[in-house]
């Protein structure tokens, strides 16, 4: 678990509460950049602390690890976060699409509401699709993904990668082997 300085949390909390941008010194890979950030929220998730906000350097909403923030100071000006913005939801969705070995897209033959009941937000993005619900995720293990998708119980169509079909075939062979095992 990350240990974050109380002074940093106090500065960021004040900035969020008052809608004041902050100037952040952010260290990554032995390089420190200075960024002006409109902080929307500070989130603790899975042992880490994160700042979610609009980064003027990158001109986009970003997630910054707080253990990489060397310094933060209030600046001049005011900002208004997007209406109904949920920093935790944004963080979880961001983690779900971090590039990994395999990009997986499958159409689940179910409604988005039913899909959300079986698929945790951190696993991937769910979008409405003409034939059901599109699941987009980034993973490292196709065999695990095949097992998971079979376990949720929805019929599905593999869009990508084609190698996921081979993972389903391996799983089917393994399951068929269980059926033919002697008692």
């Amino acid at each position: 678990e990350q240990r974050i300085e109380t002074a940093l949390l106090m500065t960021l909390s004040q900035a969020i509460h008052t809608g004041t941008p902050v100037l952040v010194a952010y260290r990554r890979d032995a390089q420190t950049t200075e960024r002006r950030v409109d902080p929307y929220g500070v989130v603790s998730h899975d042992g880490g602390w994160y700042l979610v906000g609009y980064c003027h350097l990158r001109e986009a909403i970003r997630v910054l690890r707080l253990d990489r923030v060397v310094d933060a100071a209030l600046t001049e000006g005011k900002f208004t976060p997007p209406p109904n913005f949920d920093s935790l939801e944004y963080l979880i969705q961001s983690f779900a699409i971090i590039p990994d070995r395999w990009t997986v897209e499958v159409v689940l033959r179910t409604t988005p509401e039913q899909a959300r009941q079986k698929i945790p937000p951190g696993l991937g993005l769910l979008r409405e699709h003409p034939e059901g619900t599109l699941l987009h995720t980034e993973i490292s293990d196709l065999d695990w993904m095949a097992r998971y998708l079979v376990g949720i119980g929805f019929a599905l169509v593999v869009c990508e990668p084609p190698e996921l079909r081979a993972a389903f075939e391996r799983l089917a062979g393994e399951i068929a082997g269980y059926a033919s095992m002697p008692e």
Side-chain angles (χ1 to χ4, degrees):
E1 176 135 347
Q2 297 173 358
R3 296 196 53 79
I4 306 302
E5 294 293 321
T6 304
L8 174 61
L9 289 174
M10 294 294 289
T11 299
L12 295 174
S13 295
Q14 181 181 357
I16 292 163
H17 181 72
T18 60
T20 305
V22 289
L23 193 58
V24 171
Y26 192 69
R27 183 180 322 132
R28 185 172 179 186
D29 302 326
Q31 259 189 323
T32 302
T33 57
E34 214 170 67
R35 302 164 180 234
R36 182 180 165 100
V37 177
D38 299 344
Y40 299 159
V42 170
V43 179
S44 175
H45 178 69
D46 203 22
W49 284 86
Y50 304 90
L51 170 63
V52 179
Y54 182 84
C55 174
H56 292 268
L57 177 67
R58 302 292 182 225
E59 297 181 338
I61 297 175
R62 294 293 177 153
V63 174
L64 305 177
R65 283 180 32 184
L66 284 190
D67 63 331
R68 293 180 178 170
V69 174
V70 179
D71 190 33
L74 299 172
T75 65
E76 296 295 317
K78 294 289 181 195
F79 72 90
T80 303
N84 302 318
F85 186 84
D86 185 327
S87 294
L88 176 60
E89 182 179 323
Y90 185 86
L91 176 82
I92 290 170
Q93 294 294 323
S94 296
F95 285 173
I97 58 172
I98 292 173
D100 208 331
R101 182 166 179 213
W102 299 102
T103 297
V104 171
E105 285 195 349
V106 296
V107 175
L108 305 171
R109 301 296 178 121
T110 188
T111 65
E113 295 75 29
Q114 290 173 323
R116 282 187 199 93
Q117 290 175 7
K118 300 270 187 154
I119 298 172
L123 182 64
L125 297 177
L126 296 171
R127 289 192 303 269
E128 215 170 304
H129 185 276
E131 298 173 31
T133 302
L134 181 71
L135 167 63
H136 172 97
T137 189
E138 302 280 337
I139 59 154
S140 60
D141 186 341
L142 287 178
D143 290 321
W144 177 88
M145 189 82 238
R147 288 181 191 294
Y148 183 84
L149 289 170
V150 166
I152 62 174
F154 298 127
L156 61 91
V157 175
V158 174
C159 300
E160 67 175 282
E163 292 86 350
L164 182 56
R165 288 182 175 86
F168 280 122
E169 288 175 2
R170 286 190 296 277
L171 179 57
E174 186 180 325
I175 292 169
Y178 296 151
S180 62
M181 286 185 150
E183 290 183 28

